[in-house]
Amino acid sequence: MAQAKELTVGQVAMRSGVAVSALHFYEARGLIRSHRTSGNQRRYGRDVLRRVAIIRIAQEVGISLGEIGSALEALPEGRTPTRDDWQLLSTAWRDELDHKIAQLKKLRDGLTDCIGCGCMSIDKCPLRNKDDKLAREGTGARRLVAER
């Protein structure tokens, strides 16, 4: 029996292990594409299975959907992504992931000190008051705004 060239949303969900609602969400975000039959049913090319796998892997390591979408735009539409495509995507994400890992390690180490102090000291806390910046504003309560 010949393999179908197009898949229904249920078939994609079953084969990819992703909920139908997630596929609809990915499509709404422009991460995957389908077309409609004359009966208004979604049909996906077989390449969507590899694209969904790339999306899930990237999400697992903390890549945002926006970044995933930008990366997928660089791939030719209608063709199953190849090992070379994956190499390009993963290499582009590697530096960002290394940076995030370094940040998390720094936060982890600061968190240990913070928890260890017992009182969540606002003048010494490396997480909430790095370099004691609040001391320059005087005494009393201060609301911290996240730095970017």
Side-chain angles (χ1 to χ4, degrees), residues 27-71:
E27 190 171 353
R29 296 287 306 258
L31 301 172
I32 60 174
R33 289 181 178 77
S34 70
H35 72 277
R36 300 291 184 138
T37 66
S38 59
N40 203 31
Q41 297 173 329
R42 285 182 169 92
R43 292 293 185 265
Y44 295 91
R46 298 184 69 73
D47 65 293
V48 79
L49 292 171
R50 181 88 38 94
R51 290 175 187 272
V52 169
I54 289 170
I55 293 165
R56 299 298 294 155
I57 290 166
Q59 281 186 299
E60 246 180 76
V61 297
I63 305 298
S64 72
L65 287 178
E67 293 168 300
I68 295 167
S70 294

mmCIF file of all heavy atoms in Angstrom, residues 27-71:
data_model
loop_
_atom_site.group_PDB
_atom_site.id
_atom_site.type_symbol
_atom_site.label_atom_id
_atom_site.label_comp_id
_atom_site.label_asym_id
_atom_site.label_seq_id
_atom_site.Cartn_x
_atom_site.Cartn_y
_atom_site.Cartn_z
ATOM 1 N N GLU A 27 0.587 26.046 14.458
ATOM 2 C CA GLU A 27 0.165 26.575 13.162
ATOM 3 C C GLU A 27 -0.230 28.047 13.276
ATOM 4 O O GLU A 27 0.124 28.867 12.429
ATOM 5 C CB GLU A 27 -0.983 25.747 12.599
ATOM 6 C CG GLU A 27 -1.305 26.089 11.176
ATOM 7 C CD GLU A 27 -2.284 25.138 10.529
ATOM 8 O OE1 GLU A 27 -2.649 24.109 11.130
ATOM 9 O OE2 GLU A 27 -2.710 25.455 9.410
ATOM 10 N N ALA A 28 -0.944 28.383 14.327
ATOM 11 C CA ALA A 28 -1.350 29.781 14.534
ATOM 12 C C ALA A 28 -0.132 30.686 14.700
ATOM 13 O O ALA A 28 -0.159 31.852 14.295
ATOM 14 C CB ALA A 28 -2.257 29.889 15.761
ATOM 15 N N ARG A 29 0.936 30.156 15.278
ATOM 16 C CA ARG A 29 2.184 30.921 15.463
ATOM 17 C C ARG A 29 3.072 30.906 14.222
ATOM 18 O O ARG A 29 4.136 31.513 14.209
ATOM 19 C CB ARG A 29 2.984 30.348 16.637
ATOM 20 C CG ARG A 29 2.326 30.454 18.003
ATOM 21 C CD ARG A 29 2.308 31.855 18.578
ATOM 22 N NE ARG A 29 3.574 32.505 18.639
ATOM 23 C CZ ARG A 29 4.321 32.657 19.720
ATOM 24 N NH1 ARG A 29 3.877 32.183 20.870
ATOM 25 N NH2 ARG A 29 5.475 33.275 19.671
ATOM 26 N N GLY A 30 2.667 30.189 13.187
ATOM 27 C CA GLY A 30 3.434 30.145 11.944
ATOM 28 C C GLY A 30 4.610 29.185 11.960
ATOM 29 O O GLY A 30 5.474 29.254 11.094
ATOM 30 N N LEU A 31 4.637 28.290 12.947
ATOM 31 C CA LEU A 31 5.746 27.339 13.047
ATOM 32 C C LEU A 31 5.592 26.163 12.082
ATOM 33 O O LEU A 31 6.589 25.583 11.648
ATOM 34 C CB LEU A 31 5.869 26.818 14.481
ATOM 35 C CG LEU A 31 6.112 27.886 15.538
ATOM 36 C CD1 LEU A 31 6.017 27.290 16.931
ATOM 37 C CD2 LEU A 31 7.456 28.555 15.327
ATOM 38 N N ILE A 32 4.348 25.790 11.811
ATOM 39 C CA ILE A 32 4.053 24.737 10.840
ATOM 40 C C ILE A 32 2.919 25.230 9.952
ATOM 41 O O ILE A 32 2.233 26.197 10.302
ATOM 42 C CB ILE A 32 3.673 23.389 11.513
ATOM 43 C CG1 ILE A 32 2.434 23.548 12.397
ATOM 44 C CG2 ILE A 32 4.853 22.819 12.302
ATOM 45 C CD1 ILE A 32 1.908 22.240 12.978
ATOM 46 N N ARG A 33 2.749 24.555 8.822
ATOM 47 C CA ARG A 33 1.701 24.965 7.888
ATOM 48 C C ARG A 33 0.890 23.772 7.445
ATOM 49 O O ARG A 33 1.390 22.656 7.363
ATOM 50 C CB ARG A 33 2.318 25.630 6.663
ATOM 51 C CG ARG A 33 2.894 27.001 6.970
ATOM 52 C CD ARG A 33 3.493 27.654 5.733
ATOM 53 N NE ARG A 33 4.004 28.977 6.017
ATOM 54 C CZ ARG A 33 5.153 29.226 6.638
ATOM 55 N NH1 ARG A 33 5.904 28.249 7.035
ATOM 56 N NH2 ARG A 33 5.539 30.471 6.854
ATOM 57 N N SER A 34 -0.347 24.042 7.127
ATOM 58 C CA SER A 34 -1.230 23.032 6.552
ATOM 59 C C SER A 34 -2.011 23.711 5.432
ATOM 60 O O SER A 34 -1.910 24.921 5.240
ATOM 61 C CB SER A 34 -2.194 22.476 7.602
ATOM 62 O OG SER A 34 -3.152 23.462 7.959
ATOM 63 N N HIS A 35 -2.763 22.915 4.723
ATOM 64 C CA HIS A 35 -3.731 23.496 3.803
ATOM 65 C C HIS A 35 -5.065 22.820 4.081
ATOM 66 O O HIS A 35 -5.146 21.841 4.820
ATOM 67 C CB HIS A 35 -3.293 23.334 2.330
ATOM 68 C CG HIS A 35 -3.403 21.937 1.829
ATOM 69 N ND1 HIS A 35 -2.424 20.990 2.042
ATOM 70 C CD2 HIS A 35 -4.391 21.319 1.146
ATOM 71 C CE1 HIS A 35 -2.806 19.843 1.503
ATOM 72 N NE2 HIS A 35 -3.988 20.008 0.959
ATOM 73 N N ARG A 36 -6.122 23.370 3.553
ATOM 74 C CA ARG A 36 -7.466 22.858 3.803
ATOM 75 C C ARG A 36 -7.989 22.106 2.585
ATOM 76 O O ARG A 36 -7.766 22.521 1.446
ATOM 77 C CB ARG A 36 -8.426 24.013 4.129
ATOM 78 C CG ARG A 36 -8.056 24.826 5.339
ATOM 79 C CD ARG A 36 -8.235 24.034 6.607
ATOM 80 N NE ARG A 36 -7.969 24.858 7.778
ATOM 81 C CZ ARG A 36 -8.709 24.822 8.861
ATOM 82 N NH1 ARG A 36 -9.744 24.015 8.954
ATOM 83 N NH2 ARG A 36 -8.396 25.574 9.886
ATOM 84 N N THR A 37 -8.691 21.027 2.863
ATOM 85 C CA THR A 37 -9.348 20.275 1.800
ATOM 86 C C THR A 37 -10.642 20.995 1.430
ATOM 87 O O THR A 37 -11.034 21.965 2.094
ATOM 88 C CB THR A 37 -9.688 18.845 2.261
ATOM 89 O OG1 THR A 37 -10.679 18.929 3.298
ATOM 90 C CG2 THR A 37 -8.454 18.098 2.757
ATOM 91 N N SER A 38 -11.305 20.491 0.429
ATOM 92 C CA SER A 38 -12.590 21.090 0.043
ATOM 93 C C SER A 38 -13.612 20.960 1.170
ATOM 94 O O SER A 38 -14.541 21.747 1.256
ATOM 95 C CB SER A 38 -13.124 20.452 -1.239
ATOM 96 O OG SER A 38 -13.284 19.049 -1.052
ATOM 97 N N GLY A 39 -13.417 19.990 2.060
ATOM 98 C CA GLY A 39 -14.283 19.823 3.226
ATOM 99 C C GLY A 39 -13.787 20.606 4.438
ATOM 100 O O GLY A 39 -14.242 20.380 5.558
ATOM 101 N N ASN A 40 -12.821 21.513 4.229
ATOM 102 C CA ASN A 40 -12.259 22.376 5.264
ATOM 103 C C ASN A 40 -11.502 21.620 6.353
ATOM 104 O O ASN A 40 -11.447 22.047 7.496
ATOM 105 C CB ASN A 40 -13.334 23.278 5.876
ATOM 106 C CG ASN A 40 -12.720 24.519 6.519
ATOM 107 O OD1 ASN A 40 -11.694 25.011 6.068
ATOM 108 N ND2 ASN A 40 -13.340 24.999 7.586
ATOM 109 N N GLN A 41 -10.904 20.485 5.991
ATOM 110 C CA GLN A 41 -10.096 19.723 6.940
ATOM 111 C C GLN A 41 -8.621 20.027 6.704
ATOM 112 O O GLN A 41 -8.184 20.165 5.569
ATOM 113 C CB GLN A 41 -10.349 18.221 6.772
ATOM 114 C CG GLN A 41 -11.770 17.828 7.081
ATOM 115 C CD GLN A 41 -12.022 16.374 6.737
ATOM 116 O OE1 GLN A 41 -11.425 15.817 5.818
ATOM 117 N NE2 GLN A 41 -12.922 15.757 7.489
ATOM 118 N N ARG A 42 -7.859 20.109 7.803
ATOM 119 C CA ARG A 42 -6.426 20.374 7.687
ATOM 120 C C ARG A 42 -5.711 19.154 7.119
ATOM 121 O O ARG A 42 -5.981 18.029 7.516
ATOM 122 C CB ARG A 42 -5.822 20.673 9.063
ATOM 123 C CG ARG A 42 -6.140 22.015 9.614
ATOM 124 C CD ARG A 42 -5.426 22.177 10.974
ATOM 125 N NE ARG A 42 -5.476 23.535 11.441
ATOM 126 C CZ ARG A 42 -6.413 24.028 12.222
ATOM 127 N NH1 ARG A 42 -7.406 23.269 12.621
ATOM 128 N NH2 ARG A 42 -6.372 25.279 12.609
ATOM 129 N N ARG A 43 -4.730 19.433 6.270
ATOM 130 C CA ARG A 43 -3.837 18.397 5.773
ATOM 131 C C ARG A 43 -2.411 18.945 5.857
ATOM 132 O O ARG A 43 -2.150 20.089 5.509
ATOM 133 C CB ARG A 43 -4.149 18.002 4.322
ATOM 134 C CG ARG A 43 -5.460 17.298 4.147
ATOM 135 C CD ARG A 43 -5.435 15.909 4.813
ATOM 136 N NE ARG A 43 -6.649 15.166 4.557
ATOM 137 C CZ ARG A 43 -7.700 15.119 5.368
ATOM 138 N NH1 ARG A 43 -7.683 15.794 6.511
ATOM 139 N NH2 ARG A 43 -8.749 14.412 5.064
ATOM 140 N N TYR A 44 -1.523 18.087 6.342
ATOM 141 C CA TYR A 44 -0.130 18.467 6.534
ATOM 142 C C TYR A 44 0.764 17.637 5.624
ATOM 143 O O TYR A 44 0.518 16.441 5.424
ATOM 144 C CB TYR A 44 0.305 18.201 7.985
ATOM 145 C CG TYR A 44 -0.415 19.043 8.993
ATOM 146 C CD1 TYR A 44 -1.588 18.608 9.593
ATOM 147 C CD2 TYR A 44 0.086 20.281 9.368
ATOM 148 C CE1 TYR A 44 -2.254 19.376 10.531
ATOM 149 C CE2 TYR A 44 -0.566 21.059 10.311
ATOM 150 C CZ TYR A 44 -1.733 20.603 10.886
ATOM 151 O OH TYR A 44 -2.381 21.377 11.806
ATOM 152 N N GLY A 45 1.823 18.260 5.130
ATOM 153 C CA GLY A 45 2.847 17.517 4.417
ATOM 154 C C GLY A 45 3.616 16.673 5.414
ATOM 155 O O GLY A 45 3.657 16.972 6.611
ATOM 156 N N ARG A 46 4.265 15.629 4.932
ATOM 157 C CA ARG A 46 5.008 14.726 5.817
ATOM 158 C C ARG A 46 6.175 15.431 6.505
ATOM 159 O O ARG A 46 6.623 15.030 7.574
ATOM 160 C CB ARG A 46 5.484 13.512 5.043
ATOM 161 C CG ARG A 46 4.306 12.706 4.474
ATOM 162 C CD ARG A 46 4.750 11.449 3.789
ATOM 163 N NE ARG A 46 5.281 10.486 4.755
ATOM 164 C CZ ARG A 46 4.549 9.783 5.610
ATOM 165 N NH1 ARG A 46 3.241 9.927 5.626
ATOM 166 N NH2 ARG A 46 5.102 8.930 6.428
ATOM 167 N N ASP A 47 6.685 16.509 5.898
ATOM 168 C CA ASP A 47 7.797 17.257 6.490
ATOM 169 C C ASP A 47 7.446 17.849 7.850
ATOM 170 O O ASP A 47 8.324 18.137 8.655
ATOM 171 C CB ASP A 47 8.255 18.377 5.549
ATOM 172 C CG ASP A 47 7.184 19.434 5.353
ATOM 173 O OD1 ASP A 47 6.141 19.114 4.746
ATOM 174 O OD2 ASP A 47 7.387 20.573 5.801
ATOM 175 N N VAL A 48 6.147 17.989 8.124
ATOM 176 C CA VAL A 48 5.728 18.601 9.383
ATOM 177 C C VAL A 48 6.149 17.748 10.586
ATOM 178 O O VAL A 48 6.388 18.285 11.670
ATOM 179 C CB VAL A 48 4.199 18.893 9.390
ATOM 180 C CG1 VAL A 48 3.391 17.642 9.682
ATOM 181 C CG2 VAL A 48 3.871 19.980 10.388
ATOM 182 N N LEU A 49 6.278 16.444 10.395
ATOM 183 C CA LEU A 49 6.686 15.583 11.514
ATOM 184 C C LEU A 49 8.082 15.956 12.013
ATOM 185 O O LEU A 49 8.315 16.051 13.217
ATOM 186 C CB LEU A 49 6.639 14.109 11.104
ATOM 187 C CG LEU A 49 5.244 13.561 10.845
ATOM 188 C CD1 LEU A 49 5.322 12.170 10.226
ATOM 189 C CD2 LEU A 49 4.427 13.540 12.129
ATOM 190 N N ARG A 50 9.005 16.194 11.108
ATOM 191 C CA ARG A 50 10.363 16.578 11.510
ATOM 192 C C ARG A 50 10.353 17.982 12.091
ATOM 193 O O ARG A 50 11.046 18.276 13.051
ATOM 194 C CB ARG A 50 11.290 16.488 10.309
ATOM 195 C CG ARG A 50 12.726 16.822 10.548
ATOM 196 C CD ARG A 50 13.678 15.712 11.000
ATOM 197 N NE ARG A 50 13.521 14.408 10.451
ATOM 198 C CZ ARG A 50 14.168 13.918 9.398
ATOM 199 N NH1 ARG A 50 15.017 14.665 8.744
ATOM 200 N NH2 ARG A 50 13.976 12.681 9.007
ATOM 201 N N ARG A 51 9.542 18.869 11.532
ATOM 202 C CA ARG A 51 9.468 20.229 12.056
ATOM 203 C C ARG A 51 8.915 20.225 13.486
ATOM 204 O O ARG A 51 9.411 20.950 14.343
ATOM 205 C CB ARG A 51 8.617 21.111 11.147
ATOM 206 C CG ARG A 51 9.301 21.399 9.827
ATOM 207 C CD ARG A 51 8.420 22.174 8.870
ATOM 208 N NE ARG A 51 9.044 22.281 7.571
ATOM 209 C CZ ARG A 51 9.876 23.244 7.204
ATOM 210 N NH1 ARG A 51 10.148 24.217 8.046
ATOM 211 N NH2 ARG A 51 10.418 23.241 6.010
ATOM 212 N N VAL A 52 7.916 19.411 13.747
ATOM 213 C CA VAL A 52 7.362 19.313 15.101
ATOM 214 C C VAL A 52 8.420 18.756 16.049
ATOM 215 O O VAL A 52 8.566 19.232 17.184
ATOM 216 C CB VAL A 52 6.071 18.466 15.119
ATOM 217 C CG1 VAL A 52 5.643 18.140 16.548
ATOM 218 C CG2 VAL A 52 4.951 19.186 14.381
ATOM 219 N N ALA A 53 9.188 17.779 15.592
ATOM 220 C CA ALA A 53 10.261 17.225 16.429
ATOM 221 C C ALA A 53 11.282 18.308 16.770
ATOM 222 O O ALA A 53 11.724 18.417 17.922
ATOM 223 C CB ALA A 53 10.936 16.051 15.711
ATOM 224 N N ILE A 54 11.643 19.131 15.805
ATOM 225 C CA ILE A 54 12.592 20.221 16.044
ATOM 226 C C ILE A 54 12.011 21.207 17.058
ATOM 227 O O ILE A 54 12.704 21.641 17.984
ATOM 228 C CB ILE A 54 12.952 20.931 14.721
ATOM 229 C CG1 ILE A 54 13.838 20.014 13.866
ATOM 230 C CG2 ILE A 54 13.629 22.274 14.975
ATOM 231 C CD1 ILE A 54 14.068 20.507 12.450
ATOM 232 N N ILE A 55 10.745 21.546 16.906
ATOM 233 C CA ILE A 55 10.093 22.476 17.835
ATOM 234 C C ILE A 55 10.147 21.928 19.256
ATOM 235 O O ILE A 55 10.518 22.634 20.204
ATOM 236 C CB ILE A 55 8.630 22.745 17.412
ATOM 237 C CG1 ILE A 55 8.595 23.506 16.082
ATOM 238 C CG2 ILE A 55 7.873 23.503 18.505
ATOM 239 C CD1 ILE A 55 7.225 23.505 15.410
ATOM 240 N N ARG A 56 9.785 20.666 19.426
ATOM 241 C CA ARG A 56 9.737 20.069 20.767
ATOM 242 C C ARG A 56 11.121 20.002 21.406
ATOM 243 O O ARG A 56 11.287 20.295 22.584
ATOM 244 C CB ARG A 56 9.109 18.671 20.705
ATOM 245 C CG ARG A 56 7.683 18.663 20.190
ATOM 246 C CD ARG A 56 6.735 19.434 21.056
ATOM 247 N NE ARG A 56 6.642 18.750 22.331
ATOM 248 C CZ ARG A 56 6.309 19.318 23.477
ATOM 249 N NH1 ARG A 56 5.998 20.588 23.505
ATOM 250 N NH2 ARG A 56 6.246 18.640 24.584
ATOM 251 N N ILE A 57 12.129 19.615 20.620
ATOM 252 C CA ILE A 57 13.497 19.534 21.146
ATOM 253 C C ILE A 57 13.975 20.924 21.563
ATOM 254 O O ILE A 57 14.536 21.104 22.644
ATOM 255 C CB ILE A 57 14.446 18.912 20.104
ATOM 256 C CG1 ILE A 57 14.129 17.424 19.931
ATOM 257 C CG2 ILE A 57 15.905 19.098 20.510
ATOM 258 C CD1 ILE A 57 14.759 16.806 18.704
ATOM 259 N N ALA A 58 13.753 21.899 20.709
ATOM 260 C CA ALA A 58 14.191 23.260 21.002
ATOM 261 C C ALA A 58 13.490 23.799 22.248
ATOM 262 O O ALA A 58 14.120 24.445 23.097
ATOM 263 C CB ALA A 58 13.941 24.166 19.801
ATOM 264 N N GLN A 59 12.191 23.529 22.378
ATOM 265 C CA GLN A 59 11.463 23.980 23.566
ATOM 266 C C GLN A 59 12.021 23.326 24.820
ATOM 267 O O GLN A 59 12.119 23.977 25.860
ATOM 268 C CB GLN A 59 9.972 23.630 23.446
ATOM 269 C CG GLN A 59 9.188 24.562 22.571
ATOM 270 C CD GLN A 59 7.709 24.232 22.620
ATOM 271 O OE1 GLN A 59 7.300 23.130 22.259
ATOM 272 N NE2 GLN A 59 6.922 25.174 23.077
ATOM 273 N N GLU A 60 12.386 22.054 24.721
ATOM 274 C CA GLU A 60 12.892 21.335 25.882
ATOM 275 C C GLU A 60 14.169 21.952 26.433
ATOM 276 O O GLU A 60 14.410 21.904 27.635
ATOM 277 C CB GLU A 60 13.159 19.866 25.522
ATOM 278 C CG GLU A 60 12.244 18.926 26.239
ATOM 279 C CD GLU A 60 12.532 17.491 25.879
ATOM 280 O OE1 GLU A 60 13.538 16.940 26.377
ATOM 281 O OE2 GLU A 60 11.731 16.937 25.118
ATOM 282 N N VAL A 61 14.991 22.519 25.560
ATOM 283 C CA VAL A 61 16.236 23.124 26.030
ATOM 284 C C VAL A 61 16.089 24.620 26.305
ATOM 285 O O VAL A 61 17.063 25.295 26.604
ATOM 286 C CB VAL A 61 17.426 22.859 25.074
ATOM 287 C CG1 VAL A 61 17.721 21.379 24.980
ATOM 288 C CG2 VAL A 61 17.205 23.471 23.712
ATOM 289 N N GLY A 62 14.861 25.150 26.189
ATOM 290 C CA GLY A 62 14.606 26.525 26.590
ATOM 291 C C GLY A 62 14.634 27.558 25.486
ATOM 292 O O GLY A 62 14.685 28.749 25.765
ATOM 293 N N ILE A 63 14.583 27.136 24.237
ATOM 294 C CA ILE A 63 14.523 28.092 23.133
ATOM 295 C C ILE A 63 13.083 28.587 23.026
ATOM 296 O O ILE A 63 12.144 27.800 23.058
ATOM 297 C CB ILE A 63 14.980 27.447 21.808
ATOM 298 C CG1 ILE A 63 16.381 26.823 21.939
ATOM 299 C CG2 ILE A 63 14.925 28.436 20.657
ATOM 300 C CD1 ILE A 63 17.477 27.770 22.258
ATOM 301 N N SER A 64 12.906 29.885 22.893
ATOM 302 C CA SER A 64 11.561 30.458 22.828
ATOM 303 C C SER A 64 10.903 30.133 21.488
ATOM 304 O O SER A 64 11.591 29.890 20.480
ATOM 305 C CB SER A 64 11.604 31.977 23.008
ATOM 306 O OG SER A 64 12.143 32.591 21.843
ATOM 307 N N LEU A 65 9.584 30.137 21.472
ATOM 308 C CA LEU A 65 8.861 29.876 20.227
ATOM 309 C C LEU A 65 9.180 30.919 19.162
ATOM 310 O O LEU A 65 9.236 30.603 17.976
ATOM 311 C CB LEU A 65 7.359 29.816 20.480
ATOM 312 C CG LEU A 65 6.865 28.561 21.195
ATOM 313 C CD1 LEU A 65 5.365 28.647 21.439
ATOM 314 C CD2 LEU A 65 7.200 27.310 20.427
ATOM 315 N N GLY A 66 9.407 32.155 19.578
ATOM 316 C CA GLY A 66 9.785 33.196 18.628
ATOM 317 C C GLY A 66 11.105 32.878 17.930
ATOM 318 O O GLY A 66 11.234 33.029 16.717
ATOM 319 N N GLU A 67 12.078 32.441 18.731
ATOM 320 C CA GLU A 67 13.374 32.071 18.161
ATOM 321 C C GLU A 67 13.265 30.829 17.280
ATOM 322 O O GLU A 67 13.913 30.758 16.229
ATOM 323 C CB GLU A 67 14.387 31.825 19.281
ATOM 324 C CG GLU A 67 14.740 33.077 20.053
ATOM 325 C CD GLU A 67 15.513 32.770 21.318
ATOM 326 O OE1 GLU A 67 14.985 32.051 22.186
ATOM 327 O OE2 GLU A 67 16.646 33.259 21.418
ATOM 328 N N ILE A 68 12.440 29.892 17.694
ATOM 329 C CA ILE A 68 12.232 28.690 16.892
ATOM 330 C C ILE A 68 11.606 29.074 15.555
ATOM 331 O O ILE A 68 12.029 28.604 14.497
ATOM 332 C CB ILE A 68 11.345 27.671 17.645
ATOM 333 C CG1 ILE A 68 12.055 27.159 18.907
ATOM 334 C CG2 ILE A 68 10.965 26.505 16.731
ATOM 335 C CD1 ILE A 68 11.166 26.397 19.862
ATOM 336 N N GLY A 69 10.607 29.944 15.608
ATOM 337 C CA GLY A 69 9.943 30.382 14.384
ATOM 338 C C GLY A 69 10.896 31.062 13.428
ATOM 339 O O GLY A 69 10.885 30.793 12.219
ATOM 340 N N SER A 70 11.749 31.929 13.954
ATOM 341 C CA SER A 70 12.734 32.609 13.109
ATOM 342 C C SER A 70 13.676 31.609 12.452
ATOM 343 O O SER A 70 14.010 31.738 11.271
ATOM 344 C CB SER A 70 13.554 33.603 13.934
ATOM 345 O OG SER A 70 12.737 34.637 14.397
ATOM 346 N N ALA A 71 14.092 30.620 13.216
ATOM 347 C CA ALA A 71 15.003 29.613 12.676
ATOM 348 C C ALA A 71 14.315 28.763 11.604
ATOM 349 O O ALA A 71 14.900 28.481 10.555
ATOM 350 C CB ALA A 71 15.518 28.722 13.804
#
